[in-house]
Amino acid sequence: MRQRALAAAAVSASSLPLASPELSCLHWYAVYTRSRHEKRVSRQLEGMSVATFLPAYESVHRWNDRNAVVSQPIFPGYVFARIGMADRIQILSVPGVINFVGAPGRPCPIPDEELNALRACWEHRLRMEPHPYLVVGRRVRIRQGSLADMEGILVRKKGQFRLVLSVNLITRSVAVEVDAQDVVPAGGPALPSPRQQKQLD
């Protein structure tokens, strides 16, 4: 009986029409999910005509006597959803959703520039991977190409430069490979000198 009731509730929640965009201002929010429920929640929200963003990356896992390539969320436990505040109760009714990130009863929107930067990297199929959260470092700006004017923190790993982008609300970061010749200091037009580049190691 309990399983039947839960199934009925899930169908009911999925069939409810969301508030019209004209009636509420849409923002990106971080939806906190149960462990390993990110994809399921994302699919259900998309079925409710909610715009979602769930970036993933591939990693190699050793299973028994073989290696397997596994797709995993870059931000485990989170799905980004673009909704209006009037829709939050219906989102919370989706199975697998725990809560919104923010103050109790008041989700905090994520700045559009943070999500737009991540989505641009994803849409251009750039290699993305999780990175320790960074808020302080050498800020740079991409000066040309598909990611022109995007800003982030420049780091160097194994001889390659990476642009670290952060979602400050959930204190998570992601790294994207970039060409050193495409970046300039965020506050000026000059390129890093070879000595400055070595200091990033």
Side-chain angles (χ1 to χ4, degrees):
M1 290 293 294
R2 178 177 172 79
Q3 291 181 343
R4 189 176 301 171
L6 289 174
V11 172
S12 175
S14 298
S15 61
L16 288 173
L18 292 180
S20 168
E22 289 78 13
L23 300 179
S24 57
C25 185
L26 302 182
H27 294 286
W28 284 104
Y29 295 90
V31 180
Y32 185 44
T33 73
R34 293 177 58 188
S35 177
R36 301 183 180 181
H37 279 62
E38 301 92 348
K39 293 181 181 179
R40 184 180 305 176
V41 168
S42 181
R43 286 195 298 267
Q44 292 184 87
L45 294 181
E46 289 173 355
M48 299 167 68
S49 299
V50 174
T52 66
F53 181 53
L54 181 60
Y57 73 105
E58 293 184 342
S59 62
V60 178
H61 282 232
R62 181 75 177 177
W63 286 347
N64 297 326
D65 59 345
R66 63 187 178 88
N67 292 331
V69 178
V70 180
S71 177
Q72 300 184 97
I74 291 180
F75 304 105
Y78 298 97
V79 173
F80 301 109
R82 189 168 178 81
I83 64 167
M85 286 294 293
D87 305 326
R88 67 187 187 280
I89 300 302
Q90 295 179 31
I91 302 300
L92 289 172
S93 70
V94 173
V97 171
I98 295 177
N99 212 334
F100 287 94
V101 178
R106 187 70 181 181
C108 294
I110 299 173
D112 282 345
E113 57 268 22
E114 292 184 4
L115 259 294
N116 289 341
L118 294 175
R119 292 174 65 210
C121 294
W122 182 254
E123 290 170 0
H124 287 93
R125 300 182 180 277
L126 300 181
R127 181 179 178 181
M128 304 169 65
E129 60 183 25
H131 190 280
Y133 180 59
L134 285 182
V135 292
V136 178
R138 181 180 176 81
R139 290 199 63 84
V140 297
R141 173 175 53 84
I142 304 295
R143 64 173 182 172
Q144 60 188 5
S146 57
L147 303 181
D149 295 329
M150 185 181 298
E151 293 189 7
I153 297 175
L154 187 67
V155 297
R156 193 174 183 181
K157 181 180 179 181
K158 296 181 180 179
Q160 292 192 346
F161 287 93
R162 287 173 168 81
L163 185 72
V164 177
L165 306 172
S166 298
V167 181
N168 295 313
L169 183 64
I170 62 174
T171 62
R172 296 289 189 276
S173 297
V174 61
V176 183
E177 291 185 1
V178 295
D179 189 328
Q181 297 302 312
D182 291 340
V183 301
V184 295
L191 287 169
S193 67
R195 178 177 298 179
Q196 290 174 324
Q197 291 179 2
K198 289 182 180 179
Q199 291 176 351
L200 293 172
D201 288 339

